[in-house]
Amino acid sequence: ELIEHLFSPKEFLIACARSLRRRGLLILTTPNVQGFDITTLGKTSDHLAGPNHLNYFHPQSLKLLAEACGFKVLEVTTPGKLDAEVVRNKVLAKKFTLIHQPFLRQILIDRWSELGGQFQQFLRRHTLSSHMWLVAMKQ
């Protein structure tokens, strides 16, 4: 939960590569700007609030950056468990509306107990959660 706050994430990853032994592992986490709750909530997303995030990554951009800094990417995953619930809670708190998104309303409100967990699993499996992990090895 650091790389999105840095002025130069590339310099940081290069320094990490210099510090690691050959085949050493780098594991980092960061928000996925293409994740469900971020893209759905937009400006009302807590991930986008405030000036503290200087960089926004998605699975492909983070992978490309790590590779450019001398790492072999072993895995990029979005193991989040709360994306659907985050959006649902904003709707229930009347801080966000699904009035023009009847499909999402059906999943997140009307049929939540039936579909909510399955929907979150779908987001995780397809790298669509807003919480992202990268595991990479120094070449």
Side-chain angles (χ1 to χ4, degrees):
E1 298 297 326
L2 170 74
I3 196 164
E4 70 272 15
H5 299 278
L6 300 176
F7 284 105
S8 182
K10 185 174 185 178
E11 286 179 25
F12 171 75
L13 288 181
I14 289 170
C16 289
R18 275 193 227 115
S19 299
L20 287 169
R21 292 182 180 164
R22 186 176 177 275
R23 299 182 54 103
L25 293 179
L26 170 75
I27 301 170
L28 61 86
T29 67
T30 188
N32 171 14
V33 74
Q34 293 178 340
F36 175 72
D37 68 273
I38 294 174
T39 58
T40 302
L41 295 172
K43 292 178 183 179
T44 61
S45 169
D46 294 338
H47 286 292
L48 302 179
N52 56 350
H53 288 179
L54 303 176
N55 303 284
Y56 295 101
F57 297 99
H58 54 77
Q60 188 62 21
S61 68
L62 191 60
K63 180 178 187 241
L64 288 172
L65 177 62
E67 289 172 346
C69 296
F71 289 96
K72 177 183 178 185
V73 174
L74 304 175
E75 182 178 24
V76 179
T77 184
T78 62
K81 297 181 179 180
L82 299 174
D83 303 71
E85 194 169 334
V86 165
V87 175
R88 181 177 197 273
N89 289 341
K90 290 266 187 182
V91 172
L92 293 174
K94 303 204 183 310
K95 294 181 179 178
F96 187 77
T97 182
L98 295 174
I99 194 163
H100 297 295
Q101 299 184 57
F103 178 76
L104 286 181
R105 178 168 181 80
Q106 200 175 122
I107 293 170
L108 300 176
I109 305 298
D110 301 338
R111 297 175 62 188
W112 174 253
S113 60
E114 175 191 354
L115 300 175
Q118 293 174 41
F119 184 64
Q120 185 62 49
Q121 288 175 13
F122 171 84
L123 296 175
R124 281 197 311 262
R125 276 195 312 271
H126 297 280
T127 62
L128 295 171
S129 175
S130 294
H131 183 72
M132 181 169 51
W133 293 7
L134 174 128
V135 179
M137 182 174 54
K138 180 178 176 178
Q139 302 266 29

